[in-house]
Amino acid sequence: SGALLAAEPLGSEAVSGKGCKIPVAVGEDSVVYHHRSPTESGDLWVSAPGTPAGEARVTETMPLSLRRKLLVPREVTIANGDAPARPGEAPLPVHAQVFVPGGDGPLQPLLWLHGGPMAQYSFDCNTLLSWLAGCGYLVLAPNFSGSTGSGLEFMDRVLGEGCGVADLSDCLACAAYLESGEAAEMESRLDLSRGVAVGGHSWGGYLAYMCMLEKRPDGTSVFGCGVAAAGIADWFVQQRHTEVRYYDHALMGGWVYEGEVSLRARRASP
C-alpha cells in the first residue's frame, strides 16, 4: 500500500473540477479516482498533495472533437406549489439542468425527461442533451418526483397514488417555468412561438405521453409536441407482460387486477 505517484497532466486542465468522482485505489497519501463531468466522459485522476492543483490527470481518453461539442449546463430549481410537503413546510423544489447552445439564433424550449423513475440527471456526461441543444433547443432536464438525490420522501412520491401524478405535476411546473419571465430572463433567445416540446425514454417516455394529454383550462394543449421512446402506454399490459412486473407492482402499489389498484392503473395509463 505504497504512495500512488502523481502523473503529469495530459490535458490542458490543471484541475478536474465539478463532477462525479469515484475512488478506485487508495494509497498512504493519495487517491486514484474516476472523474466524469458534462465535458468529460470519464478518466483517471490522482490526488497530488503538495502540488498547486492538489491533483493530476492520469489518463485522457475522450476525443477532443467530442469534448468541444459538449455543453456545461446551468442549474436551476423550480418551485411546484402543488407538490406534497410535510405540514408547515414548503415542498421541495425540482432541481433541473438547462443546456443552452452558443450562437444568436432562437431556441425552442424542450423538456427532456429521464427514465427510471428512480434515477437522476447529475452533473455528469450526457452527450444526448448536448446534442439536442446543438439542434437548436433550450433543453430543460428535471429531476422530477421519484428521482434519486433528494431524499427518500421525494423518491417515494411516485409510489401508489402518486404514480403518474406527482411526477407529472412536476413536469407541468417545469413547462410553466419555461413559459415564465424567469426563463426568458435566464435566456433571451427563448422562442415560445411553437410552444413547449416534451420528450423522454422509458419512464421519461411514459411521462411524455402523460404530458401530451394535458390540457389548459381553455382546452388547448400544454405542450406543442412530444416524442416518447419505450414509454408505458397501458399499465395493465406493462405489469402483466413485462420482465419488471415486481418493480411495477411497487410503483403501482399492488397488482393491476385488484379493485382499487385497477382504478389507479386506468387513471395512470395514457
Side-chain angles (χ1 to χ4, degrees):
S1 60
L4 298 168
L5 299 178
E8 290 294 323
L10 300 179
S12 59
E13 302 85 355
V15 294
S16 58
K18 183 178 178 179
C20 300
K21 295 176 170 61
I22 304 173
V24 295
V26 180
E28 292 180 357
D29 59 359
S30 58
V31 176
V32 174
Y33 52 92
H34 186 263
H35 168 77
R36 300 191 311 274
S37 75
T39 57
E40 290 273 359
S41 59
D43 272 304
L44 294 177
W45 288 69
V46 63
S47 62
T51 65
E55 61 181 354
R57 181 189 288 274
V58 177
T59 64
E60 186 166 26
T61 59
M62 188 175 190
L64 184 59
S65 58
L66 174 58
R67 184 183 300 176
R68 287 171 173 165
K69 298 176 183 178
L70 300 181
L71 302 171
V72 177
R74 307 173 190 178
E75 296 183 85
V76 299
T77 54
I78 299 169
N80 179 9
D82 295 328
R86 294 180 179 179
E89 296 183 8
L92 278 177
V94 178
H95 170 265
Q97 296 181 3
V98 184
F99 290 77
V100 181
D104 54 9
L107 299 175
Q108 303 294 321
L110 169 60
L111 181 64
W112 194 263
L113 309 172
H114 67 67
M118 294 165 185
Q120 65 171 304
Y121 283 124
S122 57
F123 205 75
D124 202 343
C125 188
N126 194 311
T127 55
L128 173 63
L129 298 181
S130 286
W131 177 77
L132 287 169
C135 292
Y137 295 99
L138 181 146
V139 182
L140 178 67
N143 289 317
F144 44 78
S145 291
S147 302
T148 56
S150 295
L152 290 177
E153 287 186 32
F154 189 86
M155 189 172 67
D156 289 347
R157 284 180 181 178
V158 297
L159 300 182
E161 289 291 345
C163 184
V165 177
D167 41 4
L168 175 60
S169 176
D170 285 343
C171 293
L172 297 177
C174 290
Y177 168 81
L178 286 170
E179 296 178 322
S180 70
E182 185 178 353
E185 183 177 346
M186 175 190 66
E187 180 49 62
S188 60
R189 293 176 291 160
L190 190 60
D191 179 8
L192 296 171
S193 62
R194 292 188 287 173
V196 177
V198 62
H201 178 267
S202 190
W203 193 266
Y206 164 63
L207 284 180
Y209 280 137
M210 297 292 282
C211 285
M212 285 185 268
L213 295 173
E214 288 296 308
K215 302 288 186 182
R216 305 181 194 274
D218 63 2
T220 60
S221 296
V222 173
F223 293 89
C225 65
V227 176
I232 299 169
D234 188 325
W235 272 100
F236 294 90
V237 174
Q238 172 69 16
Q239 197 182 82
R240 287 174 171 173
H241 302 294
T242 68
E243 74 281 4
V244 291
R245 64 192 63 181
Y246 289 100
Y247 183 46
D248 295 333
H249 175 276
L251 287 166
M252 190 51 57
W255 298 113
V256 293
Y257 50 76
E258 298 170 343
E260 182 179 344
V261 180
S262 177
L263 296 175
R264 183 184 305 151
R266 196 168 302 281
R267 291 193 300 268
S269 293

